[in-house]
Amino acid sequence: MKSSLLNRVFDADAFEAQLQALGALIQNHLENVLSEKKDHVLRWNPPEKELEFWRSFMNSGDTNDFFPEILKRTTHTHHPKYIGHQVGVTAPLTVLTGMLSNLLNNGMAVYEMGMSPNAIERIIIERLGEKFGYGDKVGGFLTSGGTLANLTALLSARKAKVKHDVWNEGHTKPLAIMVCEEAHYCVDRAAKIMGLGEQGIVKVPAKADFTMDIEQMEVLYRETTEKGIQVFAIVGSAPSTATGAYDDLKSIGAFAQKNDIWFHVDGAHGVAAIFSEKYKGLLKGTELSDSIVLDGHKMMLMPTITTALVFKNKMHAEHTFSLNADYLLDQTTEDEWYNSGRRTFECTKTMMCLHWFALLKFYGEALFDEYVTRQYDLAKDFAQLLKNHPQFELGTEPMSNILCFRWIAKGVEDEQLSAINAQIRQQLLEEGEFYLVQTKLYGIQYLRTTLMNPFTELTHLEKLLHKITKLAEHIS
Ligand SMILES: Cc1ncc(COP(=O)(O)O)c(C=O)c1O
């Protein structure tokens, strides 16, 4: 029996027409946004109004308007005035790899449902392992986001470093992980999900530059173990989220080795700097770590979600979710690298490896070198601009492309300045010409930028400061 609807949905000719129409729309969008013919990064709409729009569209909207409306009603990371969250500005090639992944829908859990992707994923992991100085036992996989990857790495750490069988018996003695207080909140969340409790996450204070205080790390470790709590892992940030500060990975690595603790690097944002000839020095010490997380969808020009979780020793990746208490692979056990689902949290996942492989194959590592170096350089230039301006204050010297600053005025107290800066940010959001975010440092409100867009120039940032000055005059 012929179903006219199903035939229509799967009609290849009709699809080609849709593809051409969307292709033209995307081409036009990219051109207009990159060249700033579109003068707004976003058109702000309050949540209730947006909901109302889409409810009404579902009832009576024209399908021809669906894609154009999506483009109109979203935030445009490709706009050079997009300087907000750490969201990747996608290389257009990845639109094509994403499209193919969606079409083929090979979930990758077992080899035959993802032959090429499983092979490709291994090549990506080995390439990253080489960059990190991990040696020939490297293993790992791509997974759905930095948050999930950090949790997975900590589960592997527990399996590797805790003597008793937590996976089957639950916790029989108190355990903890250590991390700088500046780390991304997902590390805290992972500890809670793992049932470590409040005492199971030891927050090491940060120094004035927002990096982990290494002396305090030693002190807190002693205090924690004296209480009978086993510290099985320490997490270094590369960099932390709010200020973009890189922890001293070398010192943390030496500490972890001395105390037989798992060393995990949360490099979701900035391990990409390993590709930068100029900035790779920030990552000295990765070779001492046991696992590293790197989001392709942050500083690698890839779409959401494309996280790599790399292990120095692939045996640990193999046994995170295994039922066996003994995590060590018998040397004779077959290394089933091609069945990705054994190692990952997900059963089904997208073919995210296509983005990684295509960018490396079509453009090479030079792309990431050029991009990361440019963005980190730009942050340094922006910092200089701010330091030269009497009405702005830098939160801290940027170590990456994340930079915090605030508008200031003589004689105005911090509390009032915080209120003014919060208002500035809200007005910028509602006007939509620029998009930046905010954070609190020492309880004080700062504006926060992540210079993600490869076409943002210093002149854009000069215009931003001019605009903020005008807004502040109006507000204060
Ligand atoms: C340092 C760091 N780790 C982890 C995450 C979470 O990554 P994801 O958003 O991919 O879950 C972020 C997100 O901003 C981050 O900055």
Side-chain angles (χ1 to χ4, degrees):
M1 196 173 35
K2 211 171 166 189
S3 152
S4 62
L5 180 58
L6 284 173
N7 279 323
R8 196 149 50 88
V9 167
F10 287 90
D11 185 291
D13 290 336
F15 175 67
E16 206 215 341
Q18 285 173 329
L19 199 59
Q20 278 198 9
L22 184 60
L25 205 64
I26 290 174
Q27 192 261 348
N28 192 266
H29 170 78
L30 267 183
E31 215 170 82
N32 285 339
V33 167
L34 289 172
S35 67
E36 298 173 66
K37 269 189 224 148
K38 266 195 186 147
D39 56 2
H40 281 63
V41 177
L42 78 159
R43 296 271 176 199
W44 173 250
N45 202 20
E48 292 306 323
K49 283 196 152 181
E50 192 64 18
L51 183 64
E52 199 180 299
F53 172 83
W54 285 108
R55 279 209 170 114
S56 140
F57 191 91
M58 185 54 117
N59 287 332
S60 54
D62 184 335
T63 50
N64 289 320
D65 293 336
F66 177 60
F67 292 129
E69 286 295 350
I70 291 285
L71 284 176
K72 245 192 258 167
R73 294 170 168 275
T74 43
T75 303
H76 298 144
T77 53
H78 290 86
H79 199 292
K81 288 179 181 169
Y82 174 89
I83 48 171
H85 284 293
Q86 302 151 263
V87 171
V89 178
T90 51
L93 181 66
T94 63
V95 177
L96 305 182
T97 41
M99 201 165 69
L100 204 57
S101 168
N102 286 356
L103 178 78
L104 298 172
N105 220 13
N106 277 210
M108 292 184 65
V110 291
Y111 178 64
E112 61 267 30
M113 278 308 293
M115 294 180 292
S116 293
N118 274 299
I120 285 174
E121 190 167 290
R122 177 169 169 168
I123 293 168
I124 304 301
I125 294 298
E126 285 175 354
R127 173 80 76 99
L128 288 173
E130 204 180 304
K131 301 297 287 183
F132 302 156
Y134 264 7
D136 59 5
K137 292 202 179 79
V138 65
F141 43 83
L142 300 180
T143 190
S144 303
T147 300
L148 196 68
N150 281 324
L151 171 61
T152 310
L154 290 170
L155 286 169
S156 310
R158 188 172 62 183
K159 200 129 198 185
K161 295 293 180 187
V162 175
K163 291 271 182 307
H164 72 270
D165 180 10
V166 180
W167 193 253
N168 290 304
E169 294 165 16
H171 291 132
T172 57
K173 68 173 277 194
L175 301 172
I177 60 171
M178 295 182 73
V179 67
C180 179
E181 61 182 353
E182 285 295 315
H184 190 266
Y185 70 86
C186 71
V187 177
D188 192 277
R189 186 180 283 181
K192 297 282 164 53
I193 292 171
M194 291 168 74
L196 302 180
E198 199 55 38
Q199 67 173 9
I201 175 139
V202 180
K203 297 256 176 82
V204 184
K207 295 189 296 185
D209 64 358
F210 296 92
T211 64
M212 188 191 287
D213 185 328
I214 297 298
E215 277 176 28
Q216 284 298 312
M217 170 188 75
E218 296 272 8
V219 172
L220 281 167
Y221 176 70
R222 273 198 304 277
E223 285 177 7
T224 308
T225 49
E226 275 165 20
K227 282 189 224 158
I229 301 171
Q230 184 193 344
V231 175
F232 65 90
I234 185 159
V235 180
S237 299
S240 57
T241 308
T243 60
Y246 281 81
D247 285 338
D248 174 355
L249 303 182
K250 221 170 171 173
S251 297
I252 302 173
F255 161 82
Q257 279 193 342
K258 184 176 72 183
N259 296 295
D260 192 23
I261 297 170
W262 184 280
F263 176 27
H264 173 64
V265 177
D266 177 4
H269 182 82
V271 160
I274 205 85
F275 291 100
S276 163
E277 281 306 312
K278 184 167 174 184
Y279 290 106
K280 66 182 179 193
L282 289 165
L283 293 161
K284 276 194 191 126
T286 53
E287 70 285 358
L288 302 175
S289 67
D290 297 288
S291 53
I292 297 181
V293 159
L294 167 56
D295 278 354
H297 54 275
K298 291 192 167 65
M299 289 301 290
M300 306 281 292
L301 303 164
M302 291 177 214
T304 315
I305 269 178
T306 47
T307 303
L309 171 54
V310 190
F311 292 84
K312 183 184 268 173
N313 187 335
K314 63 184 168 202
M315 286 193 296
H316 296 304
E318 282 294 328
H319 278 248
T320 311
F321 302 110
S322 94
L323 291 176
N324 295 336
D326 177 13
Y327 74 87
L328 286 176
L329 252 191
D330 175 346
Q331 293 305 321
T332 58
T333 306
E334 195 185 352
D335 170 13
E336 286 189 28
W337 60 267
Y338 41 82
N339 287 323
S340 140
R342 276 165 53 102
R343 297 182 297 273
T344 53
F345 227 107
E346 307 98 319
C347 173
T348 307
K349 66 181 188 189
T350 66
M351 294 159 62
M352 51 190 97
C353 59
L354 298 192
H355 308 302
W356 283 87
F357 196 87
L359 290 187
L360 281 166
K361 177 66 191 161
F362 283 59
Y363 309 117
E365 289 183 11
L367 171 66
F368 305 125
D369 182 4
E370 185 176 330
Y371 172 60
V372 174
T373 305
R374 180 195 186 279
Q375 304 313 112
Y376 281 34
D377 280 350
L378 184 63
K380 292 206 173 352
D381 292 345
F382 188 29
Q384 198 52 51
L385 195 68
L386 287 159
K387 283 192 269 188
N388 293 341
H389 200 304
Q391 288 208 275
F392 288 94
E393 185 189 79
L394 199 56
T396 183
E397 212 52 62
M399 291 171 82
S400 61
N401 59 332
I402 298 174
L403 185 144
C404 301
F405 67 101
R406 63 175 181 156
W407 179 87
I408 51 168
K410 271 207 182 93
V412 185
E413 299 290 321
D414 277 340
E415 199 176 330
Q416 202 188 340
L417 285 176
S418 281
I420 295 170
N421 278 280
Q423 262 183 283
I424 290 171
R425 141 77 189 168
Q426 187 59 28
Q427 288 201 13
L428 286 171
L429 177 69
E430 289 178 21
E431 283 187 22
E433 183 190 346
F434 286 92
Y435 179 72
L436 77 175
V437 291
Q438 58 191 342
T439 192
K440 282 201 169 145
L441 306 179
Y442 319 110
I444 294 171
Q445 190 79 23
Y446 278 80
L447 300 167
R448 176 172 171 274
T449 60
T450 316
L451 302 173
M452 298 302 288
N453 190 293
F455 301 100
T456 305
E457 302 281 354
L458 206 54
T459 48
H460 293 109
L461 301 168
E462 279 165 352
K463 280 185 196 150
L464 171 71
L465 297 191
H466 183 69
K467 182 161 192 119
I468 292 176
T469 313
K470 288 259 170 278
L471 285 174
E473 275 167 16
H474 193 68
I475 294 165
S476 57

